[in-house]
């Protein structure tokens, strides 16, 4: 049996567990996804040639935020009001520095803003109007909200509204009587492509980041796991983790931190820790649907999920890359 995939330095990425059903993925669309994942990995690799782990994460994620294919930046899922609001977070392992933003509506690359929070403020988490004011103060690129909105996500919003009306029990449904059980998960498509990256640089530093438009038809200021440090993103001196999936479950189980904690407390490998969380903890709580990418400090690459697929890829120090979907 081959050993775990291990890199000296490089980047591992995901483009979300909300993959299209295999029969809906046309050859053209599949090529677009694979090309964009490859571009993201190349950008991350190029940034690491003479940069730090956080450069690798931001540049890899920027490509996916700018692509309409993924649920981050342009092409994000739409809120119930038809607008896009985005969340992002980033963390470096050696010093536990972290930055996160949520409910941001005009920043072209939310991951860049998360990094600014980490590097230029004494705080970790900024939301809404305050985060936008901080963004403007720091001269980040601002764009009208319409720029993020795509035809495909408008249709996805209509679909989400219809499914919620039919009582499919999405996390947005309020007032579910206690005796009405959560529905069986049908598909993970409502998550639709949150993006994330974990990088290990030449100096052995680890950084993890995640960026999302959240779930389709979200309202009441709902925020998922992606910007929550310890839930959607975490990095320590042992590993870096970026998650995707049904955010409420990832928050309740502090999934990204749990991977690092299992390594620290149980002495298990990063692969074992991820397996326990994704196929143990979350699987037992179905619909705890989702997946994650992780890097151990020894360069072990992990890309794991309990859904039909996860857009994903990794690149090593030589620039050799590999992408996958199902
Ligand atoms: N985890 C994200 C959220 O709940 C969604 C996703 O991963 O696609 O907001």
């Amino acid at each position: 049996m081959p050993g775990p995939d291990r890199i000296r330095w490089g980047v591992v990425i995901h483009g979300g567990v909300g993959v299209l059903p295999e029969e809906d993925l046309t050859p053209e669309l599949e090529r677009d996804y694979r090309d964009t994942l490859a571009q993201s990995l190349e950008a991350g690799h190029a940034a690491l040639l003479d940069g730090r782990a956080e450069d690798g994460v931001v540049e890899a994620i920027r490509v996916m935020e700018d692509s309409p294919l993924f649920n981050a930046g342009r092409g994000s899922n739409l809120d119930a009001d038809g607008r896009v609001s985005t969340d992002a977070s980033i963390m470096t392992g050696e010093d536990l520095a972290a930055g996160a933003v949520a409910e941001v509506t005009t920043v072209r690359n939310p991951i860049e803003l998360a990094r600014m929070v980490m590097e230029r403020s004494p705080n970790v988490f900024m939301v809404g109007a305050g985060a936008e004011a901080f963004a403007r103060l720091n001269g980040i690129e601002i764009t009208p909200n319409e720029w993020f909105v795509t035809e495909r996500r408008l249709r996805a919003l209509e679909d989400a509204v219809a499914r919620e009306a039919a009582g499919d029990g999405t996390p947005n449904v309020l007032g579910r009587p206690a005796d009405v059980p959560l529905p069986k998960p049908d598909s993970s498509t409502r998550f639709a492509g949150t993006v994330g990256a974990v990088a290990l640089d030449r100096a052995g530093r680890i950084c993890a980041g995640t960026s999302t438009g959240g779930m389709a038809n979200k309202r009441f200021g709902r925020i998922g796991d992606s910007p929550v440090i310890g839930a959607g993103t975490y990095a320590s001196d042992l590993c870096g983790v970026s998650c995707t999936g049904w955010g409420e479950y990832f928050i309740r189980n502090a999934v990204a931190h749990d991977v690092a904690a299992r390594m620290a407390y149980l002495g298990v490998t990063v692969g074992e820790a991820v397996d326990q969380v994704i196929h143990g903890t979350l699987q037992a709580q179905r619909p705890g649907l989702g997946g994650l990418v992780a890097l151990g400090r020894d360069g072990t690459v992990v890309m794991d999920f309990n859904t039909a697929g996860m857009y994903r890829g990794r690149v090593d120090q030589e620039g050799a890359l590999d992408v996958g979907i199902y």
Side-chain angles (χ1 to χ4, degrees):
M1 218 169 95
D5 181 18
R6 193 166 293 169
I7 59 178
R8 229 167 350 102
W9 57 267
V11 188
V12 56
I13 60 169
H14 69 78
V17 286
V19 297
L20 288 167
E22 260 182 285
E23 58 276 17
D24 292 347
L25 191 70
T26 61
E28 296 73 39
L29 208 47
E30 175 167 0
R31 202 195 48 229
D32 286 352
Y33 273 109
R34 288 181 179 275
D35 286 353
T36 310
L37 291 169
Q39 283 161 22
S40 162
L41 290 168
E42 281 159 8
H45 182 264
L48 285 182
L49 283 173
D50 55 5
R52 296 160 69 86
E54 46 273 46
D55 299 313
V57 165
V58 169
E59 295 315 315
I61 288 183
R62 186 195 305 281
V63 169
M64 294 187 282
E65 285 181 338
D66 282 345
S67 161
L69 292 174
F70 299 99
N71 174 26
R74 179 144 193 269
S76 281
N77 269 331
L78 303 182
D79 294 356
D81 65 3
R83 285 165 58 83
V84 163
S85 65
T86 59
D87 311 328
S89 62
I90 191 166
M91 182 166 190
T92 50
E94 63 172 2
D95 50 5
L96 303 183
V101 295
E103 290 270 304
V104 169
T105 58
T106 61
V107 172
R108 174 168 171 164
N109 293 108
I111 192 66
E112 217 186 305
L113 182 57
R115 183 180 183 171
M116 280 179 174
V117 172
M118 175 169 78
E119 293 179 345
R120 301 190 197 177
S121 88
N123 309 122
V124 169
F125 205 169
M126 297 184 186
V127 302
E132 309 255 354
F134 179 76
R136 283 166 208 272
L137 200 66
N138 281 281
I140 207 167
E141 184 172 347
I142 299 292
T143 183
N145 196 263
E146 298 75 57
W147 186 81
F148 298 105
V149 178
T150 59
E151 196 48 48
R152 181 171 164 206
R153 299 301 185 202
L154 279 165
R155 286 202 306 275
L157 174 61
E158 284 164 17
D159 189 47
V161 170
R163 283 195 296 175
E164 279 191 46
D168 87 335
T170 72
N172 288 320
V173 175
L174 283 188
R176 176 175 58 88
D179 57 347
V180 177
L182 270 172
K184 292 270 177 300
D186 45 2
S187 80
S188 53
T189 48
R190 68 174 73 101
F191 309 127
T194 288
V195 308
V198 183
L200 177 65
D201 67 21
R202 288 161 176 264
R205 299 175 66 256
I206 298 173
C207 177
T210 310
S211 179
T212 188
M215 287 179 137
N217 199 30
K218 70 184 191 289
R219 52 191 181 276
F220 310 120
R222 182 266 183 191
I223 295 170
D225 61 311
S226 307
V228 178
I229 295 297
T233 300
Y234 195 72
S236 72
D237 57 350
L238 294 174
C239 66
V241 183
S242 170
C243 302
T244 168
W246 193 319
E248 280 69 12
Y249 289 82
F250 281 70
I251 294 174
R252 291 180 187 125
N253 292 286
V255 166
H257 180 265
D258 195 27
V259 171
R262 282 170 189 271
M263 292 177 73
Y265 306 154
L266 302 178
V268 297
T269 65
V270 63
E272 288 163 344
V274 170
D275 183 63
Q276 290 170 3
V277 177
I278 295 293
H279 301 288
T281 311
L282 288 174
Q283 192 78 19
Q285 296 169 26
R286 283 184 76 82
L289 294 168
L292 61 81
V293 294
L295 276 178
R297 77 167 157 204
D298 64 353
T300 300
V301 176
V302 182
M303 305 185 263
D304 205 357
F305 46 93
N306 61 26
T307 50
M310 177 172 76
Y311 300 110
R312 63 192 183 278
R314 54 66 110 190
V315 63
D316 67 14
Q317 62 284 350
E318 318 296 343
L321 54 89
D322 193 23
V323 300
I325 300 179
Y326 300 103

